[in-house]
């Protein structure tokens, strides 16, 4: 079993910063790959940040250099620090977990567990 719960979304202005969190509750003992996705009506679903079970990080080109994914293993929380917001970052942000070596940022369906999402709205 795994439960993911996002928090920290809100309304921000372009250029601002925000950190979203994802609380992880699980009985699964193997290291999992974690990621943040976002969904908006105009862009659809996009994988924005990936943290592999081996510590590898990958980012979508659209957020490279602005967003940072990290994890506090002790607190069982996944973070997405977002800087220098742009209006096109407006979306509902979801955290997701998948089996190591089987979950890939470009393939939404490769992630097994999902949170309910947290909304981020960026205004000019």
């Amino acid at each position: 079993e795994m439960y993911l719960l996002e928090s920290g979304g809100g309304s921000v202005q372009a250029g601002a910063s925000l950190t979203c969190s994802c609380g992880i509750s699980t009985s699964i003992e193997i290291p999992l790959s974690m990621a943040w996705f976002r969904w908006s009506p105009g862009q659809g679903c996009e994988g924005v940040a990936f943290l592999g079970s081996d510590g590898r990080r990958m980012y979508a080109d659209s957020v490279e250099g602005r967003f940072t994914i990290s994890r506090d293993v002790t607190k069982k929380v996944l973070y997405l620090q977002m800087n220098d917001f742009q209006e096109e970052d407006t979306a509902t942000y979801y955290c997701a977990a998948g089996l190591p070596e089987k979950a890939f940022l470009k393939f939404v369906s490769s992630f097994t567990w999902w949170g309910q999402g947290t909304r981020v709205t960026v205004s000019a």
Side-chain angles (χ1 to χ4, degrees):
E1 288 287 346
M2 169 167 282
Y3 298 96
L4 304 172
L5 182 63
E6 303 93 336
S7 61
S11 297
V12 297
Q13 289 189 320
S17 298
L18 191 70
T19 298
C20 288
S21 303
C22 174
I24 304 166
S25 176
T26 182
S27 59
I28 299 172
E29 297 183 352
I30 61 172
L32 297 174
S33 295
M34 304 293 299
W36 286 93
F37 289 79
R38 65 185 180 187
W39 184 89
S40 64
Q43 303 292 334
C45 188
E46 178 186 25
V48 296
F50 172 88
L51 179 58
S53 57
D54 59 358
R56 289 179 299 118
R57 288 173 170 80
M58 296 178 61
Y59 298 94
D61 290 343
S62 57
V63 306
E64 181 78 54
R66 299 188 298 120
F67 288 14
T68 301
I69 187 171
S70 63
R71 181 176 182 177
D72 186 322
V73 177
T74 301
K75 295 182 180 179
K76 296 184 178 180
V77 180
L78 182 74
Y79 298 101
L80 183 65
Q81 180 181 345
M82 300 175 282
N83 299 321
D84 190 22
F85 269 119
Q86 302 169 7
E87 289 186 70
E88 50 266 36
D89 293 322
T90 293
T92 300
Y93 285 75
Y94 298 87
C95 69
L99 296 176
E101 306 303 327
K102 294 186 181 296
F104 304 95
L105 194 60
K106 289 187 179 295
F107 299 106
V108 175
S109 61
S110 67
F111 284 81
T112 305
W113 298 277
W114 293 80
Q116 89 295 341
T118 186
R119 180 73 178 170
V120 175
T121 302
V122 184
S123 59

